[in-house]
Amino acid sequence: MGELEELEAALRAADVRTARRLSLGMTGTDRLDEALALLARQSRQDPAAVDLLVEVLDASGTIRRFARAALLDHTAVDDVSQDAMISVAASIGSYDGRGKVTTWVHSIVRRRVVDHLRRQRATAPLTDEAIETVEAAPGPRMSSLIATRASVQAALEALPELYRLPVVMRDLEGQAYADISQALGRPTGTVKAQISSGRAMVAARLRGEGGGLGL
């Protein structure tokens, strides 16, 4: 049985440990796109697969590479990459499987880059041509949502503990990813993916999308 077949079997069996080992092992190979496609399909019904998809994208450097290619200000790459990972986690259901996952992710990164460029208009001149180079209109960002402290607290409390703890430790307590990883006994990549998914769940609840926290 090949690695892709093993990965598919592990996903079907909800064997997250094996699926993680196999998929991360393909980040630097020509099988990455196929591994991502398997994860994306499983993500429609399994939140753990969403986390793993985000983790593999992060580990492969795919999102950061797309962001670096579009941004002159490389100090913004981390913020844009994090926004893009949140968007991937929140909108995986919109991936229809007709193209590569990386192509779909690229379109998300372009929109997040546009968000960043538009925000810079408040502090620096920006031509329309600069925005047109990355195409598409921006979608809503978590940081732009209007919500009361009580509603944010309620959204956080409604998160499954798997996501709530790392989100609270990162966003409310300001802890570093490495410290959260050590405290929770989870790999740093997994922590980043769970924070992205948790933030997406909070944003969806605050926007009233679907009436709940599901992705």
Side-chain angles (χ1 to χ4, degrees), residues 2-153:
E3 285 184 318
L4 287 169
E5 289 78 12
E6 287 185 58
L7 174 59
E8 186 170 13
L11 290 171
R12 288 178 176 174
D15 183 352
V16 177
R17 185 187 297 271
T18 299
R20 182 175 183 275
R21 174 178 59 79
L22 290 168
S23 55
L24 289 176
M26 287 185 264
T27 55
T29 73
D30 57 5
R31 298 186 297 278
L32 176 61
D33 280 311
E34 293 173 278
L36 290 172
L38 286 174
L39 291 169
R41 286 199 294 272
Q42 189 67 18
S43 292
R44 294 175 180 271
Q45 60 207 37
D46 184 359
V50 179
D51 298 341
L52 187 51
L53 173 66
V54 173
E55 185 175 354
V56 171
L57 284 169
D58 185 39
S60 69
T62 299
I63 289 177
R64 288 184 60 83
R65 185 170 65 253
F66 291 154
R68 282 198 302 267
L71 289 168
L72 295 177
D73 178 8
H74 284 198
T75 62
V77 169
D78 285 342
D79 287 342
V80 170
S81 296
Q82 183 63 45
D83 284 348
M85 286 194 288
I86 293 170
S87 294
V88 168
S91 60
I92 186 60
S94 68
Y95 172 65
D96 59 15
R98 288 184 293 182
K100 291 182 178 180
V101 174
T102 48
T103 301
W104 175 73
V105 169
H106 193 190
S107 68
I108 289 176
V109 175
R110 286 202 307 267
R111 290 194 290 273
R112 299 294 76 80
V113 169
V114 169
D115 285 351
H116 168 76
L117 294 177
R118 290 190 186 278
R119 290 195 298 272
Q120 298 315 298
R121 281 187 162 178
T123 57
L126 182 66
T127 65
D128 289 337
E129 289 75 16
I131 289 182
E132 289 172 0
T133 60
V134 288
E135 309 171 356
R141 296 179 69 250
M142 229 174 102
S143 61
S144 67
L145 293 170
I146 299 174
T148 66
R149 181 182 298 271
S151 63
V152 170
Q153 187 63 36

Side-chain angles (χ1 to χ4, degrees), residues 175-195:
Q175 295 191 42
Y177 288 116
D179 293 337
I180 299 172
S181 174
Q182 183 175 9
L184 298 180
R186 304 173 191 173
T188 302
T190 299
V191 165
K192 289 182 178 180
Q194 290 171 347
I195 289 172

